Amino acid sequence: MIGKIYGTGIYAPSNIMDNHTLAQKVDTNDTWIRERTGIVRRHIIEDDTTVSMASKAAKEALETSQVRAEEVDFTLVSTISSNIILPCVACEVQKEIGAVNATCFDLNAACTGFLFAYNTAQAYIASKIFQTVLIIGAETLSGMVDWTDRNTCILFGDGAGAVVLKGEEGGLFSTVTHSSGKQGAALTCVPGGYIKMDGHAVFRFAVKEVSQCIQELLEKENLSSEDIDYFVLHQANRRIVESVAKRLETDLEKFPMNLQEYGNTSSASIPLLLNQMNRSGLLKKGNKIVMAGFGAGLSWGASLLEW
Ligand code: COA
């Protein structure tokens, strides 16, 4: 059995902070941010929380999947920015949406979180423990950045994305994942503190490891990048995506992006992008997609799926 994506849903706060507004808070400017990152604006919570955003994205994903909340037997939330420690976000979502039959827990793998959550769901589905799975990536990074630190605050935003997976015979799933704790100092945050980052180190790591990891996955499956319709990368920086495309000698058109709209939303970025591709009609049945995540840990990975 392999989990097939039945539907997607998102929630992004309506409050938008563009680069010009941000430049009033910290010493930066629109041109610099666009040129170095591709980011134009980000959505920032006002009344929402990680839990409320996760719940709204989950409801939309269930609706588009035509799956009832009671049918969900596993809810997995990837987040590093919960507004509560106990209970976990997944249990709060369960309560909110009425997924009374679901087993619920959270996962923390930063910006690789959605990818690892997707793989976890696939493992449970393959072993026939769960069959209908709701995966959510939800983040309020606006509460984790120092708004006076221009090295980090320009990059991040808030949002949530969800997908519903149902076990089916056939389909495609393969993955390659890695972690390297010894490089962890490059991207950190202590409780009550702010995200601290060695931007150059993280940039180099992302370009090198993500390209290699995708190559590893393609080789494992005896595929070339020509066989892949879309590469859905974690949305951190336009230049990272461009560099990965270049290393894979693949047309940038196969690398959709929406970081210009949301900034880096950590584990929400891949489902936000998948939803956009799905709703805009870009994705066609049978499309082969490689999703790739990377971030704090350091951790990274790539997974192959068929739409
Ligand atoms: N606005 C204006 N100027 C800025 C700036 C900002 N927000 N941040 C840095 N600068 C300045 C620097 O002071 C430096 O000036 P100098 O040349 O006079 O010393 C210059 O711009 C270049 O800084 P640098 O840090 O070399 O820029 P960069 O091209 O490496 O871009 C990042 C910085 C953070 C955008 C980039 O390193 C990056 O994206 N790294 C990966 C981060 C990431 O994706 N993290 C999450 C992974 S999940």
Side-chain angles (χ1 to χ4, degrees):
M1 297 286 265
I2 286 182
K4 181 177 181 325
I5 296 182
Y6 266 59
T8 57
I10 67 155
Y11 179 79
S14 57
N15 174 41
I16 290 171
M17 185 192 289
D18 66 17
N19 292 342
H20 297 287
T21 313
L22 186 51
Q24 289 163 15
K25 281 171 164 281
V26 67
D27 181 18
T28 188
N29 59 76
D30 177 57
T31 309
W32 193 96
I33 301 174
R34 280 179 194 243
E35 283 177 8
R36 301 292 175 123
T37 72
I39 297 164
V40 177
R41 59 182 76 86
R42 65 286 292 143
H43 295 239
I44 304 289
I45 56 160
E46 287 178 307
D47 301 325
D48 272 299
T49 63
T50 301
V51 167
S52 71
M53 291 196 300
S55 303
K56 289 171 191 171
K59 278 183 191 159
E60 192 175 274
L62 288 173
E63 265 169 42
T64 60
S65 312
Q66 298 187 304
V67 167
R68 286 178 297 113
E70 305 81 45
E71 292 174 63
V72 175
D73 46 25
F74 178 32
T75 297
L76 179 56
V77 175
S78 168
T79 188
I80 53 166
S81 50
S82 179
N83 49 299
I84 44 169
I85 295 171
L86 298 174
C88 65
V89 178
C91 279
E92 289 290 278
V93 171
Q94 176 193 38
K95 185 173 67 182
E96 188 58 34
I97 67 174
V100 288
N101 298 310
T103 297
C104 305
F105 62 84
D106 294 356
L107 174 157
N108 171 347
C111 303
T112 323
F114 183 81
L115 189 97
F116 285 180
Y118 179 81
N119 290 354
T120 306
Q122 291 291 2
Y124 274 113
I125 289 169
S127 57
K128 301 200 170 138
I129 295 172
F130 300 124
Q131 282 310 296
T132 305
V133 181
L134 172 63
I135 318 170
I136 308 165
E139 306 285 6
T140 48
L141 301 176
S142 58
M144 292 174 69
V145 291
D146 174 356
W147 288 99
T148 65
D149 175 11
R150 68 180 186 173
N151 291 314
T152 51
C153 75
I154 57 154
L155 298 173
F156 299 102
D158 301 336
V163 303
V164 174
L165 291 175
K166 280 180 91 163
E168 280 188 0
E169 295 298 343
L172 210 56
F173 170 65
S174 182
T175 192
V176 171
T177 54
H178 298 281
S179 295
S180 171
K182 71 175 185 209
Q183 290 174 272
L187 187 46
T188 60
C189 185
V190 296
Y194 298 121
I195 293 173
K196 294 217 167 12
M197 181 183 72
D198 177 343
H200 289 176
V202 174
F203 193 99
R204 279 196 306 274
F205 142 75
V207 170
K208 174 168 173 270
E209 299 296 356
V210 173
S211 324
Q212 272 181 18
C213 186
I214 293 175
Q215 290 283 19
E216 236 182 289
L217 177 66
L218 294 177
E219 275 163 31
K220 184 177 152 190
E221 293 305 314
N222 214 8
L223 294 169
S224 82
S225 62
E226 274 151 41
D227 300 311
I228 305 302
D229 295 287
Y230 296 107
F231 295 86
V232 178
L233 266 54
H234 165 53
Q235 300 288 289
N237 183 318
R238 184 179 177 86
R239 289 189 297 132
I240 293 177
V241 179
E242 286 170 348
S243 303
V244 171
K246 200 169 166 200
R247 283 190 180 214
L248 293 173
E249 296 175 0
T250 302
D251 195 334
L252 192 60
E253 277 187 15
K254 285 192 176 185
F255 290 73
M257 284 181 249
N258 64 0
L259 55 87
Q260 59 278 15
E261 176 64 33
Y262 300 106
N264 178 345
T265 55
S266 192
S267 57
S269 82
I270 290 178
L272 278 168
L273 184 53
L274 273 181
N275 179 76
Q276 189 169 317
M277 295 166 70
N278 184 20
R279 297 296 173 88
S280 68
L282 192 63
L283 294 176
K284 305 279 181 288
K285 192 172 158 43
N287 276 168
K288 285 191 183 64
I289 299 172
V290 168
M291 297 191 290
F294 53 92
L298 299 176
S299 287
W300 64 102
S303 297
L304 175 68
L305 68 104
E306 192 172 40
W307 193 255

Short mmCIF file of all heavy atoms in Angstrom, two decimals, residues 89-123:
data_model
loop_
_atom_site.label_atom_id
_atom_site.label_comp_id
_atom_site.label_asym_id
_atom_site.label_seq_id
_atom_site.Cartn_x
_atom_site.Cartn_y
_atom_site.Cartn_z
N VAL A 89 -0.04 19.93 19.04
CA VAL A 89 -0.90 20.62 18.06
C VAL A 89 -1.87 19.63 17.41
O VAL A 89 -3.05 19.93 17.22
CB VAL A 89 -0.04 21.31 16.96
CG1 VAL A 89 -0.93 21.98 15.92
CG2 VAL A 89 0.91 22.33 17.58
N ALA A 90 -1.37 18.42 17.11
CA ALA A 90 -2.23 17.44 16.42
C ALA A 90 -3.47 17.10 17.24
O ALA A 90 -4.56 16.95 16.68
CB ALA A 90 -1.42 16.17 16.11
N CYS A 91 -3.33 17.01 18.57
CA CYS A 91 -4.50 16.73 19.42
C CYS A 91 -5.45 17.93 19.43
O CYS A 91 -6.68 17.76 19.46
CB CYS A 91 -4.07 16.38 20.84
SG CYS A 91 -3.54 14.68 21.00
N GLU A 92 -4.90 19.13 19.41
CA GLU A 92 -5.75 20.32 19.36
C GLU A 92 -6.52 20.39 18.04
O GLU A 92 -7.69 20.76 18.00
CB GLU A 92 -4.89 21.58 19.54
CG GLU A 92 -4.36 21.76 20.94
CD GLU A 92 -5.44 22.12 21.94
OE1 GLU A 92 -5.81 23.31 22.02
OE2 GLU A 92 -5.92 21.19 22.62
N VAL A 93 -5.84 20.02 16.96
CA VAL A 93 -6.51 19.99 15.65
C VAL A 93 -7.61 18.93 15.67
O VAL A 93 -8.72 19.16 15.20
CB VAL A 93 -5.48 19.70 14.52
CG1 VAL A 93 -6.19 19.44 13.20
CG2 VAL A 93 -4.50 20.85 14.38
N GLN A 94 -7.29 17.78 16.24
CA GLN A 94 -8.28 16.70 16.32
C GLN A 94 -9.57 17.20 16.97
O GLN A 94 -10.67 16.98 16.48
CB GLN A 94 -7.71 15.54 17.15
CG GLN A 94 -8.73 14.43 17.37
CD GLN A 94 -8.29 13.44 18.43
OE1 GLN A 94 -7.69 13.82 19.44
NE2 GLN A 94 -8.57 12.17 18.20
N LYS A 95 -9.38 17.91 18.10
CA LYS A 95 -10.53 18.44 18.84
C LYS A 95 -11.32 19.42 17.97
O LYS A 95 -12.53 19.39 17.91
CB LYS A 95 -9.98 19.15 20.10
CG LYS A 95 -11.02 19.66 21.04
CD LYS A 95 -10.39 20.18 22.32
CE LYS A 95 -9.56 21.43 22.06
NZ LYS A 95 -8.88 21.95 23.25
N GLU A 96 -10.59 20.27 17.28
CA GLU A 96 -11.21 21.34 16.49
C GLU A 96 -11.98 20.79 15.29
O GLU A 96 -13.05 21.28 14.95
CB GLU A 96 -10.09 22.29 16.03
CG GLU A 96 -10.51 23.55 15.35
CD GLU A 96 -11.42 24.44 16.18
OE1 GLU A 96 -11.26 24.47 17.42
OE2 GLU A 96 -12.32 25.07 15.57
N ILE A 97 -11.44 19.77 14.63
CA ILE A 97 -12.07 19.30 13.39
C ILE A 97 -12.94 18.06 13.60
O ILE A 97 -13.65 17.65 12.70
CB ILE A 97 -11.02 19.01 12.28
CG1 ILE A 97 -10.13 17.82 12.65
CG2 ILE A 97 -10.18 20.27 11.99
CD1 ILE A 97 -9.17 17.40 11.55
N GLY A 98 -12.84 17.45 14.79
CA GLY A 98 -13.68 16.27 15.07
C GLY A 98 -13.12 14.98 14.51
O GLY A 98 -13.89 14.07 14.18
N ALA A 99 -11.79 14.89 14.42
CA ALA A 99 -11.17 13.65 13.92
C ALA A 99 -11.05 12.66 15.08
O ALA A 99 -9.94 12.27 15.48
CB ALA A 99 -9.81 13.96 13.30
N VAL A 100 -12.20 12.23 15.61
CA VAL A 100 -12.23 11.50 16.88
C VAL A 100 -11.53 10.14 16.84
O VAL A 100 -11.16 9.61 17.88
CB VAL A 100 -13.69 11.31 17.37
CG1 VAL A 100 -14.27 12.63 17.84
CG2 VAL A 100 -14.56 10.73 16.25
N ASN A 101 -11.36 9.59 15.65
CA ASN A 101 -10.76 8.25 15.56
C ASN A 101 -9.26 8.29 15.26
O ASN A 101 -8.64 7.25 15.03
CB ASN A 101 -11.48 7.44 14.47
CG ASN A 101 -12.93 7.24 14.84
OD1 ASN A 101 -13.23 6.82 15.96
ND2 ASN A 101 -13.84 7.57 13.94
N ALA A 102 -8.69 9.48 15.24
CA ALA A 102 -7.29 9.62 14.85
C ALA A 102 -6.33 9.47 16.03
O ALA A 102 -6.64 9.90 17.15
CB ALA A 102 -7.06 10.97 14.18
N THR A 103 -5.19 8.88 15.76
CA THR A 103 -4.05 8.94 16.67
C THR A 103 -3.29 10.21 16.28
O THR A 103 -3.10 10.46 15.09
CB THR A 103 -3.16 7.70 16.49
OG1 THR A 103 -3.92 6.55 16.84
CG2 THR A 103 -1.91 7.78 17.37
N CYS A 104 -2.84 10.97 17.27
CA CYS A 104 -2.32 12.31 16.95
C CYS A 104 -0.98 12.57 17.63
O CYS A 104 -0.84 12.33 18.83
CB CYS A 104 -3.28 13.38 17.45
SG CYS A 104 -4.96 13.17 16.84
N PHE A 105 -0.03 13.04 16.88
CA PHE A 105 1.20 13.55 17.50
C PHE A 105 1.91 14.52 16.59
O PHE A 105 1.56 14.65 15.42
CB PHE A 105 2.13 12.42 17.99
CG PHE A 105 2.65 11.48 16.93
CD1 PHE A 105 3.78 11.80 16.19
CD2 PHE A 105 2.04 10.25 16.71
CE1 PHE A 105 4.29 10.92 15.24
CE2 PHE A 105 2.53 9.36 15.77
CZ PHE A 105 3.67 9.70 15.02
N ASP A 106 2.90 15.23 17.16
CA ASP A 106 3.66 16.24 16.41
C ASP A 106 5.06 15.73 16.11
O ASP A 106 5.57 14.82 16.78
CB ASP A 106 3.81 17.53 17.23
CG ASP A 106 2.50 18.24 17.47
OD1 ASP A 106 1.47 17.78 16.94
OD2 ASP A 106 2.51 19.26 18.20
N LEU A 107 5.69 16.37 15.16
CA LEU A 107 7.04 16.00 14.73
C LEU A 107 7.83 17.29 14.56
O LEU A 107 7.30 18.28 14.03
CB LEU A 107 6.88 15.24 13.43
CG LEU A 107 8.02 14.78 12.55
CD1 LEU A 107 7.53 13.61 11.71
CD2 LEU A 107 8.51 15.88 11.65
N ASN A 108 9.08 17.30 15.03
CA ASN A 108 9.92 18.48 14.88
C ASN A 108 11.15 18.13 14.06
O ASN A 108 12.04 17.43 14.53
CB ASN A 108 10.34 19.00 16.27
CG ASN A 108 11.39 20.10 16.19
OD1 ASN A 108 12.00 20.34 15.14
ND2 ASN A 108 11.61 20.78 17.30
N ALA A 109 11.17 18.57 12.83
CA ALA A 109 12.37 18.43 12.00
C ALA A 109 12.55 19.70 11.18
O ALA A 109 13.03 19.66 10.05
CB ALA A 109 12.27 17.21 11.11
N ALA A 110 12.13 20.81 11.77
CA ALA A 110 12.30 22.15 11.16
C ALA A 110 11.82 22.14 9.70
O ALA A 110 10.76 21.61 9.40
CB ALA A 110 13.75 22.59 11.31
N CYS A 111 12.63 22.69 8.83
CA CYS A 111 12.18 22.88 7.44
C CYS A 111 12.15 21.58 6.64
O CYS A 111 11.67 21.55 5.52
CB CYS A 111 13.05 23.92 6.75
SG CYS A 111 13.05 25.49 7.63
N THR A 112 12.67 20.49 7.21
CA THR A 112 12.54 19.17 6.58
C THR A 112 11.30 18.47 7.13
O THR A 112 10.99 17.34 6.74
CB THR A 112 13.80 18.31 6.85
OG1 THR A 112 14.96 19.15 6.81
CG2 THR A 112 13.98 17.23 5.79
N GLY A 113 10.61 19.12 8.04
CA GLY A 113 9.53 18.48 8.79
C GLY A 113 8.41 17.91 7.93
O GLY A 113 7.95 16.79 8.17
N PHE A 114 7.96 18.67 6.93
CA PHE A 114 6.86 18.16 6.13
C PHE A 114 7.28 16.90 5.38
O PHE A 114 6.53 15.93 5.30
CB PHE A 114 6.32 19.20 5.15
CG PHE A 114 5.13 18.69 4.39
CD1 PHE A 114 3.87 18.70 4.95
CD2 PHE A 114 5.29 18.14 3.12
CE1 PHE A 114 2.77 18.17 4.27
CE2 PHE A 114 4.20 17.61 2.44
CZ PHE A 114 2.94 17.63 3.01
N LEU A 115 8.50 16.92 4.86
CA LEU A 115 8.99 15.75 4.12
C LEU A 115 9.07 14.52 5.03
O LEU A 115 8.64 13.43 4.67
CB LEU A 115 10.35 16.04 3.49
CG LEU A 115 10.75 14.93 2.55
CD1 LEU A 115 10.42 15.30 1.10
CD2 LEU A 115 12.20 14.58 2.68
N PHE A 116 9.60 14.72 6.24
CA PHE A 116 9.70 13.60 7.17
C PHE A 116 8.30 13.13 7.62
O PHE A 116 8.07 11.94 7.84
CB PHE A 116 10.55 13.98 8.40
CG PHE A 116 12.05 14.02 8.12
CD1 PHE A 116 12.94 14.36 9.13
CD2 PHE A 116 12.57 13.72 6.87
CE1 PHE A 116 14.32 14.40 8.91
CE2 PHE A 116 13.95 13.76 6.63
CZ PHE A 116 14.82 14.10 7.64
N ALA A 117 7.37 14.07 7.74
CA ALA A 117 5.99 13.71 8.11
C ALA A 117 5.36 12.88 6.99
O ALA A 117 4.69 11.88 7.24
CB ALA A 117 5.16 14.96 8.38
N TYR A 118 5.60 13.30 5.76
CA TYR A 118 5.08 12.57 4.61
C TYR A 118 5.64 11.13 4.61
O TYR A 118 4.90 10.17 4.44
CB TYR A 118 5.47 13.30 3.32
CG TYR A 118 5.00 12.62 2.06
CD1 TYR A 118 3.69 12.78 1.61
CD2 TYR A 118 5.86 11.81 1.33
CE1 TYR A 118 3.25 12.13 0.45
CE2 TYR A 118 5.44 11.17 0.18
CZ TYR A 118 4.13 11.33 -0.25
OH TYR A 118 3.71 10.69 -1.39
N ASN A 119 6.94 11.01 4.84
CA ASN A 119 7.56 9.68 4.88
C ASN A 119 7.01 8.83 6.02
O ASN A 119 6.80 7.63 5.88
CB ASN A 119 9.08 9.80 5.03
CG ASN A 119 9.74 10.36 3.79
OD1 ASN A 119 9.09 10.55 2.76
ND2 ASN A 119 11.03 10.63 3.87
N THR A 120 6.80 9.47 7.17
CA THR A 120 6.25 8.75 8.34
C THR A 120 4.86 8.22 8.00
O THR A 120 4.52 7.06 8.30
CB THR A 120 6.18 9.71 9.56
OG1 THR A 120 7.48 10.26 9.77
CG2 THR A 120 5.73 8.98 10.81
N ALA A 121 4.06 9.07 7.37
CA ALA A 121 2.71 8.65 6.97
C ALA A 121 2.79 7.46 6.02
O ALA A 121 2.05 6.48 6.17
CB ALA A 121 1.98 9.81 6.31
N GLN A 122 3.72 7.54 5.06
CA GLN A 122 3.86 6.43 4.10
C GLN A 122 4.25 5.14 4.81
O GLN A 122 3.77 4.06 4.45
CB GLN A 122 4.90 6.78 3.02
CG GLN A 122 4.48 7.88 2.06
CD GLN A 122 3.33 7.47 1.13
OE1 GLN A 122 2.80 6.37 1.19
NE2 GLN A 122 2.94 8.39 0.26
N ALA A 123 5.12 5.24 5.80
CA ALA A 123 5.56 4.03 6.52
C ALA A 123 4.39 3.40 7.28
O ALA A 123 4.23 2.17 7.28
CB ALA A 123 6.70 4.39 7.48
#
